[in-house]
Amino acid sequence: MGCRRGCPRFKTGVCFAIVSRITALRRWSWLVAFGLWGCRGTGGELTQNPVRSEVAIETDLVLAYDFESIHLVADGTSSTVANAAPGGTPGNVHGATAAEGRSGMGIHFDGDDWIDTGLDQKIVHRAFALWLRADAVPQKDVIPFGTMHDESRLYFGFPPEDNTAGLGIGAVSYYGKGVPWVQDTLWHLVVLNRVDGEARLFLDGKQAMSMPDGTVAAAGIYFIGAINKAHLGQALHHFRGTIDSVRIWNRSLSEREIAMLLNEN
């Protein structure tokens, strides 16, 4: 039997091997063109495509408050807010009330309110996000999220100086003078992301400041709307305004995911 036309000097078996090789190469080129370029695996990784598959934004969530469901507890002295994270326990609301949020319902703090999340800072959480709208500006010496126990802390907020951002990790607090920060009564997204040995604070998707990440050595429950001074047993530095869509993750976020949070409904 003769060989395929176009390779008359080769025997049938040799020609078939060459044709099979060409077909395989074409099949690989087709697969690359339709999405395998950029896939990641063990060995032989293709890493030149900047488009990389991300995990779902909900992955490793430990706290998710949307404030669509706030319930008064039986004794009438406080409320609870549902935690939509898998296995999440409700937060205890002290004084704060339901209000119009950025999307749906939010929760309003009038200067002496807070939410006890029940989450301990000694468990290493890597990313924190919330939307906030201040009742008035400037807000000074105000901490809308965080906890502190002696010299161990994790918080972000408004230091005593005008137009500055405040960030505390471990034993260190840092005030960023002149950084872009909340200077109006509009909605703003604040994200604290602990990644690559740094604690990075983002405002509306843009990095405002950073500091070396620290070790949180002492226990302390995160409060929202104020800081938990755990060693004093008090909620202090209360925020005045509305907060919505609070999230805490056990992992760091990519900048693409931070942008997704900014653009979510």
Side-chain angles (χ1 to χ4, degrees), residues 103-237:
S103 177
M105 298 303 296
I107 194 162
H108 184 263
F109 302 83
D110 65 6
D112 60 0
D113 308 326
W114 73 94
I115 299 175
D116 181 336
T117 68
L119 286 180
D120 194 324
Q121 68 170 346
K122 282 200 74 175
I123 301 171
V124 181
H125 303 109
R126 307 304 304 179
F128 311 78
L130 57 79
W131 284 91
L132 60 77
R133 183 176 64 184
D135 282 350
V137 290
Q139 296 225 3
K140 296 183 178 183
D141 207 15
V142 166
I143 299 176
F145 176 89
T147 185
M148 173 183 278
H149 192 298
D150 294 325
E151 291 304 312
S152 187
R153 71 205 71 191
L154 194 156
Y155 73 84
F156 55 79
F158 304 77
E161 296 85 352
D162 284 343
N163 301 328
T164 59
L167 177 59
I169 300 286
V172 179
S173 294
Y174 181 70
Y175 299 165
K177 285 192 173 184
V179 303
W181 198 236
V182 176
Q183 301 178 30
D184 54 42
T185 57
L186 303 176
W187 282 104
H188 294 279
L189 174 66
V190 181
V191 176
L192 170 57
N193 199 32
R194 303 171 70 186
V195 59
D196 296 334
E198 288 188 333
R200 301 171 184 173
L201 190 63
F202 290 78
L203 179 67
D204 297 331
K206 297 180 179 179
Q207 184 171 316
M209 60 184 291
S210 66
M211 61 180 288
D213 200 0
T215 300
V216 180
I221 302 300
Y222 302 122
F223 281 8
I224 298 167
I227 189 170
N228 175 21
K229 289 289 187 77
H231 55 296
L232 302 177
Q234 293 179 292
L236 298 172
H237 305 290

Side-chain angles (χ1 to χ4, degrees), residues 237-253:
H237 305 290
H238 294 273
F239 174 69
R240 291 180 179 269
T242 306
I243 288 177
D244 198 359
S245 300
V246 182
R247 301 284 186 270
I248 301 177
W249 290 263
N250 272 338
R251 64 179 178 89
S252 304
L253 299 178

